[in-house]
């Protein structure tokens, strides 16, 4: 799972992804309900477009008072086509690229949670597979599909002992366009696989002193 990552900034959207940055501002790190840029197919053409979207499929502000809250920053691949938070948008293949330079996970190997930074060598930007939805007011939100990572040499090192290990999907660059073009949810599943351990780099990246992370820290099950 992933509820904290580093979105790319404006120039990388232009230089690496070939899209014009969306209006608005976003932070150097995103947490659930934070705005961040995603890339999707434009409604009337095959062109890519970048829009500013809220990280969580159902933002807290969209949840009616008195309704039980379920985290929706991550979507389990096993249930993405069944849960109502994700299923209609998955069936419609509302697929996105989430441009990033790193994502962060807690490592408990010392007996306490130490935040680690995971990414590509040299800080190269990459795209995480995403799912998006639109709201009646024109707002957009998104989630990251996750896979079981119990057998992945790197991703199994994160999260509390005894918890199922999960991982987000880093899409190879030569699959970006095909992912965005996909219109069959079953075919979309073929893109969802964990990135090879040997192609990733990871290191401790503790939260800076006095930094308070949002209370939201888990994915929908």
């Amino acid at each position: 799972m992933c509820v904290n990552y580093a979105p790319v900034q404006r120039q990388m959207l232009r230089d690496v992804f070939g899209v014009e940055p969306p209006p608005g501002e976003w932070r150097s790190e995103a947490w659930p309900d934070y705005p961040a840029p995603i890339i999707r197919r434009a409604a009337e053409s095959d062109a890519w477009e970048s829009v500013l979207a809220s990280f969580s499929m159902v933002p807290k502000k969209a949840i009616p008072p008195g309704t039980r809250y379920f985290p929706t920053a991550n979507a389990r691949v096993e249930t993405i086509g069944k849960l109502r938070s994700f299923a209609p948008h998955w069936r419609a293949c509302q697929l996105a690229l989430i441009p990033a330079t790193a994502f962060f996970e807690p490592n408990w190997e010392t007996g306490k949670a130490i935040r680690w930074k995971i990414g590509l060598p040299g800080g190269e930007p990459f795209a995480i597979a995403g799912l998006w939805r639109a709201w009646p007011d024109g707002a957009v939100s998104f989630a990251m599909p996750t896979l079981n990572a119990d057998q992945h040499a790197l991703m199994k090192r994160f999260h509390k002992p005894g918890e199922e290990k999960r991982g987000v999907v880093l899409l190879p660059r030569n699959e970006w366009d095909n992912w965005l073009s996909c219109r069959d949810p079953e075919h979309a599943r073929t893109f969802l696989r964990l990135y090879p351990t040997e192609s990733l780099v990871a290191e401790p990246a503790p939260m800076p002193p006095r930094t308070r992370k949002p209370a939201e820290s888990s994915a929908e099950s």
Side-chain angles (χ1 to χ4, degrees):
M1 67 183 69
C2 173
V3 296
N4 177 209
Y5 77 100
V8 303
Q9 297 304 308
R10 293 180 177 277
Q11 199 58 46
M12 278 190 181
L13 283 173
R14 294 188 182 101
D15 294 346
V16 177
F17 295 89
V19 295
E20 189 62 23
E25 302 295 329
W26 60 92
R27 302 185 187 185
S28 59
E29 289 190 22
W31 294 87
D33 291 329
Y34 282 31
I38 64 169
I39 296 169
R40 64 183 184 181
R41 287 283 184 189
E44 303 300 328
S45 72
D46 286 334
W48 295 11
E49 66 176 0
S50 180
V51 298
L52 201 60
S54 178
F55 181 26
S56 281
M57 206 66 173
V58 183
K60 286 183 179 179
K61 67 180 182 180
I63 300 173
T67 302
R68 184 180 177 186
Y69 173 73
F70 290 96
T72 57
N74 298 157
R76 296 170 61 94
V77 170
E78 297 87 342
T79 55
I80 198 170
K82 301 174 183 178
L83 297 181
R84 63 182 181 179
S85 297
F86 311 111
H89 319 293
W90 175 252
R91 290 195 294 267
C93 281
Q94 293 173 194
L95 308 177
L97 303 177
I98 304 169
T101 56
F103 63 98
F104 302 92
E105 299 286 7
N107 181 298
W108 284 80
E109 291 171 343
T110 64
K112 61 180 180 179
I114 304 296
R115 190 177 76 149
W116 275 48
K117 175 181 178 180
I118 304 109
L120 299 183
E124 180 183 350
F126 53 88
I128 299 171
L131 182 70
W132 66 272
R133 66 169 294 175
W135 295 85
D137 63 358
V140 176
S141 59
F142 69 97
M144 298 177 179
T146 67
L147 295 161
N148 179 279
D150 286 345
Q151 304 304 316
H152 191 270
L154 176 61
M155 298 308 300
K156 72 179 183 181
R157 298 179 60 188
F158 303 113
H159 298 284
K160 291 181 180 180
E163 286 187 352
E164 182 190 7
K165 312 306 178 183
R166 306 290 300 182
V168 295
V169 175
L170 277 64
L171 293 165
R173 187 174 295 204
N174 63 359
E175 295 185 358
W176 291 356
D177 193 64
N178 290 336
W179 169 253
L180 292 182
S181 299
C182 184
R183 293 296 176 263
D184 178 350
E186 289 309 309
H187 181 57
R189 289 182 182 275
T190 67
F191 292 88
L192 301 178
R193 51 190 181 274
L194 297 175
Y195 213 69
T197 298
E198 62 272 16
S199 298
L200 296 169
V201 294
E203 62 183 359
M207 297 286 291
R210 301 180 189 172
T211 297
R212 294 181 62 193
K213 74 176 182 178
E216 162 82 54
S217 63
S218 61
E220 182 170 84
S221 60

